[in-house]
Amino acid sequence: MKKIIFILSVILVFLLVVWLVTYMRRPNAGYQASVLDNEIVIYDIDELEELASEIIPQGGFDYIRGGAETENTMHRNISAFDDVDIYPRVLTGVDNPDINTKILGIDISVPVIVAPAAAHGLAHVSAEAGTARGAAAAGTIMSVSNYASSTLAEIAKAGKGAPQWFQLYLSKDNDFNKQIVKRAEELGYRAIILTVDAPVGGNRVADARNNFKFPLALPNVAQKSGKTKGQGIGKIFAAAQNRLTPYDIMRVKAMTDLPVIVKGIQHPDDAEIAILAGADAIWVSNHGGRQLDGAPGAFEVLSEIAQRVNKRVPIIFDSGIRRGQHVFKAIASGADVVAIGRPVIYGLALGGWRGVVSVFDYIKQDLRRVMMLAGTQTIADIKDVKLRPRAAIIMCEEL
């Protein structure tokens, strides 16, 4: 009898272990973000994604990494940079290139800033506060989503006076819009980013397959979205304003004396409309390929938008930036600064705020190397560079 009881006990323990392992492997169960706090050795920035996948729980990782539908546009964001080449230049006398620049009156150590992205707490327990500390140490701008998992006050405190911008998704409640913009002003944020390319969330297949629900609260929008922990992004988006017009830019301009940046521009006509409505800067972006699949890669439309803007306002660019050559090509195509999202979040997961600094150190070093090889001493010099379209190579080969 004792032997039977012992065998049954062993079987029950085994079944319990199997159940626990199965439960913990569910995308959002027992969620535990990274607690790492260290510098990262980066050989190739593309490797960060795979390394981060081993640390960030599956549901959170898929939310951060994923794009819309087939992810064709997300992949084109990166591959589009291969459609143009940089002419190597020699005998130029370039030495120790200067990568410092300025945007909207803010001096930064590199023409690369942090793009606004939701819920950094999925990657690391320090969340956006950790990212802000890293951005400040790197000498650049932290852009903060109103779907952040840290409060605006926590993020501002972590930045210790370093420049920060606040990204606004308009709520259906205009009083709440005014309230949160005023709060950002009081905390020292130095620009408002009005995102206009997400009146509805894209069809993100991985999130649907995982039945992803935010395992963390999004405190800055909880007042209007209600309970955010345990909710999907669709439920949270439901509190946002879906119908957007040029009048909404004017409304936000009337709420604040801060510069208003209009983010999500992918067509020259929309850039023109935004400028006429009062935009202080244009942000060219396709939301990292997370909205409309089948759209062009963001870099594919940058030049024509820059031509229409014609230097009337600054241009920020994101979607697909991974390397120094990408930064170089974007600036040569009309951007004043670029922004990165996923690499920063992966750096946060792999090393906390120090990991964020490591990502920026890598990009700084890589950009200086490209500038040396392309014969450009300053960021202003990059703006005068003419890139060689890959089509020109194909034509030469055909001849």
Side-chain angles (χ1 to χ4, degrees):
M1 186 67 182
K2 289 182 179 180
K3 186 176 181 180
I4 294 174
I5 293 173
F6 174 77
I7 293 172
L8 289 173
S9 299
V10 170
I11 293 172
L12 287 172
V13 169
F14 174 77
L15 292 173
L16 178 61
V17 169
V18 170
W19 180 84
L20 284 171
V21 169
T22 303
Y23 177 82
M24 292 303 291
R25 287 178 62 85
R26 293 191 312 167
N28 306 315
Y31 200 93
Q32 179 57 61
S34 169
V35 296
L36 294 174
D37 182 15
N38 50 264
E39 295 179 354
I40 309 169
V41 177
I42 302 175
Y43 300 105
D44 185 332
I45 205 162
D46 288 339
E47 295 173 350
L48 295 183
E49 183 173 294
E50 182 177 353
L51 293 171
S53 72
E54 299 171 0
I55 293 173
I56 304 173
Q58 182 190 338
F61 176 77
D62 286 349
Y63 174 80
I64 294 163
R65 186 214 63 82
E69 298 190 25
T70 66
E71 299 186 339
N72 176 61
T73 294
M74 183 183 78
H75 293 302
R76 282 175 66 180
N77 281 340
I78 300 174
S79 65
F81 287 102
D82 294 333
D83 292 338
V84 296
D85 294 326
I86 303 167
Y87 286 98
R89 296 299 306 275
V90 299
L91 305 175
T92 59
V94 170
D95 184 32
N96 190 27
D98 180 4
I99 61 173
N100 292 281
T101 191
K102 179 179 290 190
I103 182 76
L104 294 176
I106 301 172
D107 293 313
I108 50 179
S109 67
V110 61
V112 185
I113 68 174
V114 178
H120 291 203
L122 295 172
H124 196 273
V125 292
S126 66
E128 284 80 3
T131 310
R133 184 178 178 186
T140 193
I141 297 167
M142 169 72 178
S143 300
V144 178
S145 171
N146 65 346
Y147 295 145
S149 41
S150 298
T151 67
L152 294 183
E154 290 168 341
I155 300 165
K157 182 179 179 180
K160 297 182 178 179
Q164 297 179 346
W165 293 345
F166 172 62
Q167 179 213 33
L168 174 68
Y169 287 94
L170 279 174
S171 165
K172 292 182 175 74
D173 184 338
N174 201 44
D175 287 338
F176 176 73
N177 295 328
K178 293 177 181 178
Q179 175 186 327
I180 198 166
V181 167
K182 181 179 179 181
R183 180 60 174 155
E185 282 185 324
E186 292 171 346
L187 290 168
Y189 288 78
R190 297 172 66 173
I192 303 298
I193 305 165
L194 176 61
T195 292
V196 296
D197 64 351
V200 64
N203 179 18
R204 302 171 194 172
V205 176
D207 294 343
R209 184 178 292 115
N210 290 335
N211 191 27
F212 178 72
K213 311 292 184 186
F214 281 101
L216 310 166
L218 308 178
N220 301 303
V221 295
Q223 177 180 333
K224 293 312 299 178
S225 298
K227 179 184 176 183
T228 52
K229 183 176 179 179
Q231 300 296 328
I233 190 65
K235 171 70 165 55
I236 294 167
F237 262 128
Q241 180 176 317
N242 304 114
R243 181 178 181 273
L244 296 167
T245 72
Y247 173 69
D248 294 304
I249 300 174
M250 300 177 192
R251 282 201 298 138
V252 176
K253 289 281 292 182
M255 295 176 194
T256 180
D257 293 326
L258 296 175
V260 174
I261 304 164
V262 178
K263 181 179 186 293
I265 299 299
Q266 300 165 69
H267 192 286
D269 289 350
D270 290 339
E272 185 71 33
I273 291 168
I275 292 171
L276 293 177
D280 297 292
I282 295 296
W283 194 312
V284 177
S285 168
N286 62 24
H287 221 97
R290 294 163 70 81
Q291 288 298 98
L292 177 61
D293 196 33
F299 182 67
E300 296 175 88
V301 300
L302 174 59
S303 291
E304 53 186 312
I305 293 173
Q307 289 173 14
R308 179 70 72 87
V309 171
N310 195 25
K311 300 181 181 180
R312 286 176 288 171
V313 297
I315 294 176
I316 302 110
F317 171 85
D318 78 32
S319 299
I321 296 289
R322 297 293 183 272
R323 303 177 179 278
Q325 61 159 295
H326 297 165
V327 179
F328 188 102
K329 289 176 179 179
I331 293 173
S333 300
D336 292 285
V337 301
V338 305
I340 54 176
R342 292 180 181 95
V344 167
I345 299 174
Y346 296 151
L348 181 70
L350 294 166
W353 73 271
R354 290 183 174 86
V356 172
V357 176
S358 296
V359 169
F360 277 99
D361 285 347
Y362 175 91
I363 290 178
K364 288 177 182 180
Q365 180 182 19
D366 201 28
L367 177 59
R368 287 192 182 98
R369 176 169 40 242
V370 173
M371 290 174 68
M372 280 283 291
L373 296 172
T376 49
Q377 184 67 48
T378 66
I379 301 305
D381 291 340
I382 300 176
K383 295 180 180 182
D384 293 330
V385 166
K386 300 298 182 185
L387 301 173
R388 187 186 193 206
R390 186 60 61 87
I393 300 173
I394 296 171
M395 289 176 62
C396 288
E397 290 175 347
E398 290 176 348
L399 293 173

